[in-house]
Amino acid sequence: MMNILRRGSHTRVSLYSPFRKLFSDQAALSVPVNTLIPPSTARHNFSQAEFSVISGLLRNPAISSGPSLESELNQTGVEPEPGLLLAVFEHFDHSPKLLHTLFRWAESKPEFKCSAALFNCMIKVLAKAKEFDSAWCLLLDKIGGHEALDFVSKDTFVILIRRYARAGMVEAAIRTFEFANNLDIVKNFDSGASLFEILLDSLCKQGRVKAASEYFHKRKELDQSWAPTVRIYNILLNGWFRSKNVKDAERFWLEMRKEDVTPNVVTYGTLVEGYCRLRRVDRAIQLVKEMRKEGIEPNAIVYNTVIDGLVEAGRFEEVSGMMERFLVCEPGPTMVTYTSLVKGYCKAGDLEGASKILKMMISRGFLPSPTTYNYFFRHFSKFGKVDDAMNLYRKMIESGYTPDRLTYHALLKMLCKEEKLDLAIQVSKEMKCRGCDIDLDTSTMLIHLLCRMYKFDEASAEFEDMIRRGVVPHYLTFKRLNDEFKKRGMTDLAQKLCNVMSSVPRSMELLDSRSKD
């Protein structure tokens, strides 16, 4: 087994691993596949047998959330502890209802002592599923108790703020910030400024930069003595660029200069990244020269951004020159640098060039991440190269490499598109076995493929399992199944489908609204 060394934030390998041939029809192309360290979940202090028992219950389609699952859990004899539940949560993060039942069951045990990490994990799962009422019930219970400091912290509210922003619920995100900012358990351990920055950052990342900017200026007007940090300006500047609003971004940049806010390397990095995203790489390169004149030396993030911009523009000759300058700087090219190059070559259809970059990065001590390999899978998916994709996937598994959820998603998307049902089912089963809970998009693709292949019983079972796990399906998925069942006289399946949907209040509201359109 190859020794893996940790240096700073980078993962490096101490040996140059032999390259493996990955594509049967391309003898000149070889890509290194290395063994990764097993996931951290394997290091929790709990019995693997107990983990397997609980996982089996959550995967059992005959067991639903609520009393049914609680009854089964009581019969296992398992004594819950935070490490065990955290491991289960990591593997079933797309099954909110089941996890909520599991958490409630554990808390009902006299000997169970919850941890802050587990509590926040439960809040995150519920908020991710937009079960905000349930999340607040848990939160307010803890705040009203004697152990609030042991569980509730700024991190708890960060989860809610970010999830509200992702759901497009701007006012709810702001109210959550204001509620948290008035709590002693937050004020005593945080000035409130960093939570304010997180609020703005969350809104900006979800395209709500106008709302973030208005709230920022409102706070400035209400408190004339308040001096916003350069970090706050950087967040809003980044938000305007992310929204591709160059006019407002440049206006805000002038506002910063007018108010004598001293830009730092992050400010310039934000400007460089913004112009690169807008395909204005030459302007970005000009800004790199300007920051040097102001005595601010570009860091790895700035170099990586420019290199990525040149790669996206297909200007590979200029990339070589930039790489030469980067190599003599401290700390030199990083994992992100090489991953950007792999992405560029894969998008250009030059897999041999991408393979050479992989060899180069390993020779310089970097271990390719799942993200690096996912660019190959995206290329294969785009062009329907099933054999090449499955060959790479099998080599990864054989080498002990752990694919991530994006790897499986790219594979399943391609297999469903190419109507490779047997392979899609095989990969989905392996995905579950390797700890990746199937998400909404993946389940939707499988259901639609099963319908196209006239596997209606299996499609109905997959749909029912989505509901059981607390994943609300798309309306079109329900409509397609329902229409197919009715057209083929499958009245029992149609009735069962409607019964299952009626157990999800939010989905029935969606159905009602659609039927009126």
Side-chain angles (χ1 to χ4, degrees):
M1 177 74 69
M2 179 182 298
N3 291 325
I4 300 178
L5 306 179
R6 300 282 180 183
R7 296 180 185 175
S9 61
H10 306 299
T11 305
R12 298 179 181 271
V13 290
S14 59
L15 299 175
Y16 181 82
S17 68
F19 299 116
R20 300 175 182 270
K21 295 291 181 67
L22 293 181
F23 312 110
S24 57
D25 59 342
Q26 293 174 284
L29 179 60
S30 58
V31 180
V33 180
N34 302 280
T35 303
L36 293 183
I37 295 175
S40 59
T41 54
R43 295 182 175 84
H44 284 309
N45 184 28
F46 60 83
S47 163
Q48 184 64 40
E50 291 178 334
F51 175 82
S52 298
V53 168
I54 292 181
S55 297
L57 292 179
L58 298 185
R59 290 195 180 101
N60 189 340
I63 301 174
S64 58
S65 59
S68 173
L69 178 56
E70 288 179 8
S71 175
E72 293 292 336
L73 287 167
N74 284 330
Q75 294 178 41
T76 62
V78 172
E79 292 296 331
E81 59 95 16
L84 172 60
L85 265 65
L86 277 171
V88 173
F89 274 47
E90 288 176 18
H91 284 71
F92 294 90
D93 60 341
H94 287 280
S95 303
K97 286 188 175 181
L98 298 173
L99 294 182
H100 194 195
T101 299
L102 175 63
F103 181 82
R104 285 294 198 187
W105 168 78
E107 283 213 311
S108 70
K109 300 298 179 182
E111 301 300 321
F112 179 74
K113 300 294 183 184
C114 187
S115 67
L118 177 60
F119 178 75
N120 283 341
C121 196
M122 184 71 259
I123 295 292
K124 183 177 181 179
V125 168
L126 291 171
K128 185 177 180 180
K130 300 181 183 178
E131 298 286 347
F132 293 110
D133 287 346
S134 297
W136 274 103
C137 284
L138 286 179
L139 178 58
L140 293 175
D141 281 347
K142 296 298 182 186
I143 291 176
H146 300 294
E147 300 177 319
L149 286 174
D150 295 334
F151 300 103
V152 182
S153 65
K154 182 187 78 174
D155 294 338
T156 312
F157 292 101
V158 168
I159 293 168
L160 286 170
I161 288 170
R162 290 203 182 280
R163 283 296 161 182
Y164 273 129
R166 291 192 67 173
M169 301 169 71
V170 176
E171 290 301 321
I174 292 173
R175 286 197 303 269
T176 300
F177 161 73
E178 292 175 345
F179 176 84
N181 207 32
N182 288 321
L183 288 177
D184 290 338
I185 55 176
V186 174
K187 286 193 295 185
N188 292 341
F189 295 93
D190 183 83
S191 64
S194 62
L195 196 60
F196 182 70
E197 291 164 12
I198 287 165
L199 171 65
L200 297 185
D201 182 63
S202 301
L203 294 176
C204 287
K205 283 180 177 176
Q206 301 307 317
R208 307 286 179 162
V209 59
K210 184 178 179 181
S213 180
E214 288 174 353
Y215 193 64
F216 163 73
H217 285 103
K218 178 182 176 182
R219 182 170 179 180
K220 280 181 68 180
E221 290 172 7
L222 291 174
D223 186 357
Q224 298 290 329
S225 64
W226 180 52
T229 64
V230 68
R231 292 194 304 273
I232 290 175
Y233 282 98
N234 290 342
I235 288 167
L236 290 168
L237 183 64
N238 183 48
W240 286 119
F241 271 115
R242 286 175 69 96
S243 65
K244 298 183 179 180
N245 193 326
V246 186
K247 183 179 178 181
D248 281 320
E250 292 178 338
R251 176 192 56 76
F252 194 73
W253 169 238
L254 291 175
E255 181 182 328
M256 288 179 65
R257 302 300 261 174
K258 182 180 177 181
E259 296 186 9
D260 293 325
V261 178
T262 304
N264 55 21
V265 68
V266 176
T267 312
Y268 276 104
T270 300
L271 289 165
V272 168
E273 181 183 17
Y275 283 111
C276 282
R277 281 181 175 173
L278 297 169
R279 302 291 191 268
R280 294 173 61 179
V281 187
D282 292 327
R283 173 58 179 147
I285 293 172
Q286 183 183 351
L287 281 164
V288 173
K289 295 176 182 177
E290 287 181 19
M291 66 187 293
R292 279 205 181 98
K293 287 181 181 179
E294 292 200 19
I296 303 173
E297 191 62 29
N299 59 14
I301 295 174
V302 174
Y303 274 114
N304 285 335
T305 303
V306 174
I307 288 172
D308 188 64
L310 291 170
V311 165
E312 286 289 329
R315 294 159 63 171
F316 291 102
E317 289 185 7
E318 292 173 73
V319 169
S320 299
M322 184 65 69
M323 282 291 287
E324 287 179 7
R325 289 193 291 274
F326 198 2
L327 284 167
V328 299
C329 295
E330 189 66 32
T334 65
M335 180 73 154
V336 175
T337 315
Y338 294 110
T339 300
S340 292
L341 291 170
V342 168
K343 176 185 70 173
Y345 280 110
C346 283
K347 288 183 72 172
D350 186 357
L351 298 189
E352 187 170 356
S355 178
K356 288 178 180 178
I357 296 297
L358 282 179
K359 295 178 182 181
M360 182 190 300
M361 68 188 292
I362 288 184
S363 70
R364 296 185 183 281
F366 290 95
L367 179 68
S369 69
T371 301
T372 313
Y373 287 113
N374 285 345
Y375 288 116
F376 283 94
F377 284 112
R378 288 183 187 180
H379 172 84
F380 296 143
S381 178
K382 181 179 180 180
F383 295 101
K385 296 184 177 181
V386 175
D387 291 340
D388 289 343
M390 291 306 298
N391 194 18
L392 175 57
Y393 171 70
R394 291 190 186 103
K395 289 291 185 182
M396 291 173 71
I397 299 300
E398 290 169 7
S399 302
Y401 205 99
T402 305
D404 65 7
R405 181 173 281 112
L406 293 177
T407 307
Y408 283 113
H409 187 270
L411 267 176
L412 286 170
K413 181 179 180 181
M414 176 187 62
L415 294 173
C416 289
K417 180 182 177 182
E418 299 298 320
E419 298 190 346
K420 302 290 185 181
L421 180 60
D422 291 342
L423 282 175
I425 292 174
Q426 174 194 327
V427 170
S428 67
K429 287 180 179 177
E430 291 176 7
M431 178 181 180
K432 292 178 182 178
C433 290
R434 293 184 179 276
C436 293
D437 201 11
I438 294 185
D439 60 11
L440 171 61
D441 290 338
T442 308
S443 291
T444 301
M445 288 188 293
L446 276 174
I447 289 170
H448 284 253
L449 175 60
L450 289 165
C451 281
R452 291 199 302 272
M453 305 302 288
Y454 306 105
K455 302 286 186 180
F456 298 113
D457 287 331
E458 291 86 344
S460 178
E462 181 65 31
F463 188 91
E464 187 175 350
D465 190 57
M466 287 174 67
I467 301 293
R468 184 185 70 88
R469 292 185 287 118
V471 179
V472 180
H474 295 300
Y475 168 76
L476 290 177
T477 305
F478 165 80
K479 187 176 186 303
R480 177 166 186 177
L481 276 175
N482 198 38
D483 289 348
E484 288 284 359
F485 294 161
K486 289 181 177 179
K487 184 171 68 174
R488 299 174 190 282
M490 299 176 175
T491 54
D492 290 343
L493 281 179
Q495 185 59 51
K496 185 179 181 181
L497 184 72
C498 291
N499 291 340
V500 168
M501 282 295 282
S502 68
S503 67
V504 186
R506 191 166 72 246
S507 68
M508 289 310 294
E509 291 171 8
L510 176 62
L511 294 180
D512 291 340
S513 65
R514 293 284 184 143
S515 64
K516 294 174 184 176
D517 293 342

